[in-house]
Amino acid sequence: MTCTNQYLRWVFLILTTILLAACGNNEEQANTRPDPVHIASGDECHVCGMVIEGFPGPKGEAITEKDQHVRKFCSTRDMFAWMLQPENVNRAHTLYVHDMAQTQWQSPDDTALIDAREAFFVVGSERDGAMGPTLASFAEEAAAEAFSKEYGGQVLAYGEVTLEHINTEMPQGDMHDMGDMDASAMEQ
């Protein structure tokens, strides 16, 4: 009986070690996130279909954590418009935007992509992006404040940006306002 008890203890110890090692790997995998993907010539915006390259202002991208699918956006406004939709807001995505303190407005460099959830955004500035008004993105709040002083607008953290911020900054007659039309107007 003593051999059986000792054997069971060894089996238990080995299984415990294997389970702990497996848990450690899962935790490590959960903490790793995909790297940003460079915007290539011909890439189209997931929201509006425009070719992204060649337009001013910060861009965005969302990478699904489950299948690593990359969605690219011609502006931070389009990224937020997509991300804040009810079907996307609770999904696990890694989000990137340009740090506009580290790159030129007219031609953002993809080496300046930062975690959007840690960024600060200037909403309502006079600087236009690919689709007109956009949200200027910055890694540091001080840089966002400096931009706001020069170009106007309100500084917000990622979690403070709402669909209301996106919709109220759109010029009248823009194609994004079509969501406000009622069904009878669509039939005419």
Side-chain angles (χ1 to χ4, degrees), residues 3-170:
C3 286
T4 305
N5 286 340
Q6 191 173 10
Y7 175 76
L8 290 175
R9 285 184 193 156
W10 277 106
V11 169
F12 178 75
L13 180 63
I14 291 171
L15 288 175
T16 302
T17 304
I18 291 170
L19 288 173
L20 288 174
C23 288
N25 287 339
N26 287 341
E27 186 176 313
E28 185 178 303
Q29 288 173 352
N31 289 334
T32 61
R33 61 180 179 180
D35 291 330
V37 177
H38 291 287
I39 296 169
S41 177
D43 282 349
E44 295 179 358
C45 178
H46 183 72
V47 170
C48 68
M50 283 182 29
V51 173
I52 298 171
E53 197 174 60
F55 289 98
K59 316 294 185 251
E61 59 186 51
I63 305 171
T64 55
E65 292 183 12
K66 184 176 180 181
D67 62 3
Q68 303 294 300
H69 181 76
V70 179
R71 291 171 178 85
K72 298 177 183 180
F73 304 94
C74 67
S75 68
T76 52
R77 172 181 299 284
D78 278 5
M79 182 195 75
F80 272 107
W82 178 81
M83 189 62 206
L84 292 172
Q85 294 300 314
E87 66 270 16
N88 297 322
V89 76
N90 292 321
R91 288 186 180 172
H93 291 95
T94 299
L95 303 171
Y96 291 104
V97 293
H98 287 103
D99 179 2
M100 297 313 292
Q102 301 297 319
T103 189
Q104 296 179 0
W105 189 268
Q106 284 307 114
S107 177
D109 187 333
D110 290 343
T111 60
L113 286 167
I114 58 171
D115 185 337
R117 286 184 167 83
E118 296 175 9
F120 296 90
F121 298 88
V122 180
V123 178
S125 80
E126 61 187 49
R127 297 294 310 256
D128 282 342
M131 296 291 288
T134 195
L135 292 83
S137 46
F138 298 91
E140 302 292 328
E141 187 173 15
E145 292 288 349
F147 181 90
S148 175
K149 285 180 183 170
E150 185 171 350
Y151 298 105
Q154 176 185 9
V155 176
L156 300 172
Y158 171 84
E160 298 172 315
V161 178
T162 65
L163 278 175
E164 185 175 307
H165 291 113
I166 305 300
N167 293 330
T168 57
E169 297 300 320
M170 293 302 283

Side-chain angles (χ1 to χ4, degrees), residues 177-188:
D177 289 336
M178 291 180 74
D180 295 333
M181 294 174 66
D182 63 69
S184 62
M186 295 291 282
E187 293 173 4
Q188 294 176 349

